[in-house]
Amino acid sequence: MNLEEYAAKDLVLKPGGVPVPRGRLCRTPAEVAAAVGDIGPSVIKAQVPTGKRGKSGGIKMADKPADGEAAARAILGMQAIPLRACL
């Protein structure tokens, strides 16, 4: 079974009683900005069915909504990995 992080949290970790930090699946930079505004400082992560997303630039920090939007634009614009969403 190969799950993306957001799916593993909902299907395996939470039901198994593992504490999971607050997060939200976003598909657009505007959604990411809204999520960072609601949650606060966040880590924006590419949701891809492969490893090494950090080394390829698929994980970025965001302290403010504008930072989150910029991070999402950079991540969603990546061509090197098949990207479906940001978490």
Side-chain angles (χ1 to χ4, degrees), residues 2-6 25-27 45-53 56-58 74-87:
N2 186 11
L3 298 175
E4 293 168 344
E5 182 178 348
Y6 77 93
L25 181 67
C26 301
R27 298 189 184 279
K45 300 178 179 180
Q47 295 300 291
V48 294
T50 185
K52 303 205 184 339
R53 61 187 170 171
S56 64
I75 291 170
L76 291 168
M78 295 172 67
Q79 300 296 319
I81 52 178
L83 184 60
R84 298 181 200 161
C86 292
L87 178 66

